[in-house]
Amino acid sequence: MATDAEGVIVGATAGGVPVPGEGEVYALAVTDGSRRRGVGTALLTAATERMRDHGALDQRVELPAAADPALPFYTRLGFSALSPTRWSRPLAP
């Protein structure tokens, strides 16, 4: 979870390692007023570190649609297509 200076929640993420070696981003959300300020990147970075700590060697995310608005965010961070809505990236140790 991410909060602003007043303690208001501005973003949250959820993820895990449901299959040995494979991290999964279940959800990542940032409020409209906090987008493009590094909140999503910070949340994903923290989730990624937890996944690495639990043995993840790659990370995946399923988007609701092939043209999802979050797609540029994920591709900028190194995710590539496994299918039109499923994306993955390797996690360096």
Side-chain angles (χ1 to χ4, degrees):
M1 185 173 2
T3 59
D4 66 12
E6 289 80 38
V8 175
I9 296 170
V10 295
T13 190
V17 183
V19 176
E22 186 177 303
E24 183 77 28
V25 178
Y26 302 134
L28 188 135
V30 176
T31 61
D32 287 339
S34 297
R35 291 186 180 147
R36 299 192 181 273
R37 296 183 180 172
V39 174
T41 301
L43 287 167
L44 185 60
T45 298
T48 300
E49 289 306 313
R50 286 191 305 273
M51 289 175 195
R52 278 192 189 112
D53 290 347
H54 288 89
L57 303 174
D58 67 79
Q59 187 175 52
R60 297 179 182 201
V61 64
E62 179 99 22
L63 300 177
D68 190 274
L71 184 55
F73 169 79
Y74 287 108
T75 58
R76 180 175 54 80
L77 293 172
F79 284 80
S80 59
L82 295 173
S83 76
T85 59
R86 189 109 170 106
W87 294 77
S88 178
R89 71 176 178 174
L91 297 181

